[in-house]
């Protein structure tokens, strides 16, 4: 088991997803609250750890720094195999699992950002941007969450932590088509009905 992790966190941020995963795997971690209002994440001490000034940021027991939500989730699933949150290495299911973890970071996340932050602007060229279009991303996710209980068949994985969390946040922010989709809503309810999720939602 890896040693104690230092976890830089704010509840109103993507770090909430990492906290859910830390709870899922039963990691030993110490939380450092990052106060955005106070500019904690732009102070030299924090920038020395993560020059991006962003959270989630994990510092492992050997001082290795981990950033990027999808990478953090992927690593935690591997470092704590007893939690069984990743399919067998080399299996086809493992391929699907990576597909959705990468889809979350490279398609859903930028599509959502484009839609929510460039309201009223003409969409970027579908053929040129890697995420295609917001509607294509949502169609793809809707299909994926309708097929099986979880993204990768009947096994709950770190990919569900990531995509489930993104969908839940997107719905909360009123992103188009999320709350109107019965399939997406049912999936979000399914994946968040877990003790680890409830623990992660408690005040730190
Ligand atoms: N690519 C990063 C994005 C992390 C990110 O943007 N975090 C935001 C909070 S949701 C942040 O720390 N913002 C503070 C800032 O940039 O000043 C990931 O996937 O984890």
């Amino acid at each position: 088991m890896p040693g104690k992790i230092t976890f830089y966190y704010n509840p109103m941020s993507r770090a909430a997803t990492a906290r859910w995963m830390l709870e899922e795997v039963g990691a030993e971690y110490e939380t450092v609250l990052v106060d955005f209002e106070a500019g904690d994440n732009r102070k030299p001490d924090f920038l020395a750890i993560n020059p991006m000034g962003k959270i989630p940021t994990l510092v492992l027991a050997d001082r290795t720094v981990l950033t990027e939500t999808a990478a953090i989730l992927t690593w935690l699933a591997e470092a704590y195999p007893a939690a069984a949150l990743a399919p067998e290495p080399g299996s086809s299911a493992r391929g699907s699992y990576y597909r959705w973890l990468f889809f979350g970071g490279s398609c859903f996340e930028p599509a959502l950002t484009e839609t929510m932050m460039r309201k009223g602007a003409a969409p970027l060229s579908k053929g040129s941007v890697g995420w295609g279009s917001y509607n294509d991303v949502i169609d793809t996710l809707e299909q994926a969450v309708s097929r099986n209980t979880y993204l990768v068949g009947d096994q709950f994985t770190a990919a569900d932590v990531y995509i489930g969390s993104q969908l839940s946040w997107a719905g909360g922010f009123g992103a188009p088509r999320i709350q109107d989709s019965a399939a997406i809503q049912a999936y979000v309810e399914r994946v968040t009905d877990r003790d680890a999720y409830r623990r992660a939602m408690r005040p730190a």
Side-chain angles (χ1 to χ4, degrees):
M1 286 263 277
K4 193 167 185 175
I5 295 167
T6 306
F7 172 45
Y8 291 85
Y9 168 76
N10 180 296
M12 296 306 295
S13 79
R14 291 165 178 87
T17 308
R19 190 176 186 218
W20 179 8
M21 187 67 182
L22 285 160
E23 289 294 331
E24 286 285 351
V25 301
E28 186 193 353
Y29 67 99
E30 172 196 10
T31 303
V32 179
L33 274 171
V34 174
D35 183 344
F36 291 133
E37 300 286 312
D40 287 354
N41 57 313
R42 300 287 160 189
K43 288 181 180 159
D45 281 4
F46 185 74
L47 291 175
I49 298 168
N50 180 2
M52 290 292 285
K54 289 190 175 287
I55 56 170
T57 295
L58 267 56
V59 181
L60 308 185
D62 67 0
R63 309 303 298 162
T64 298
V65 173
L66 297 186
T67 68
E68 311 316 313
T69 306
I72 289 168
L73 268 47
T74 307
W75 179 79
L76 285 169
E78 285 172 16
Y80 296 84
L85 291 176
E88 189 66 16
S91 65
S92 303
R94 183 74 161 217
S96 295
Y97 162 80
Y98 286 134
R99 175 188 179 192
W100 296 117
L101 281 165
F102 282 73
F103 191 86
S106 60
C107 294
F108 190 20
E109 161 105 26
L112 193 59
T113 307
E114 182 194 357
T115 296
M116 299 303 280
M117 301 190 80
R118 298 181 76 249
K119 280 198 179 115
L124 297 172
S125 160
K126 174 171 163 159
S128 301
V129 296
W131 56 94
S133 71
Y134 182 80
N135 277 331
D136 285 356
V137 166
I138 299 302
D139 286 345
T140 303
L141 285 175
E142 204 165 32
Q143 208 182 86
V145 302
S146 306
R147 251 192 315 255
N148 299 297
T149 309
Y150 300 115
L151 287 168
V152 187
D154 57 7
Q155 183 185 3
F156 177 87
T157 68
D160 295 298
V161 173
Y162 194 32
I163 298 288
S165 187
Q166 287 180 310
L167 287 170
S168 169
W169 278 79
F173 281 118
R177 298 187 51 194
I178 306 288
Q179 283 177 358
D180 302 338
S181 165
I184 290 177
Q185 286 312 309
Y187 170 75
V188 170
E189 275 169 35
R190 235 171 14 249
V191 297
T192 55
D193 186 16
R194 300 175 65 84
D195 289 343
Y197 177 81
R198 285 183 277 275
R199 284 196 301 277
M201 292 303 118
R202 288 196 305 232

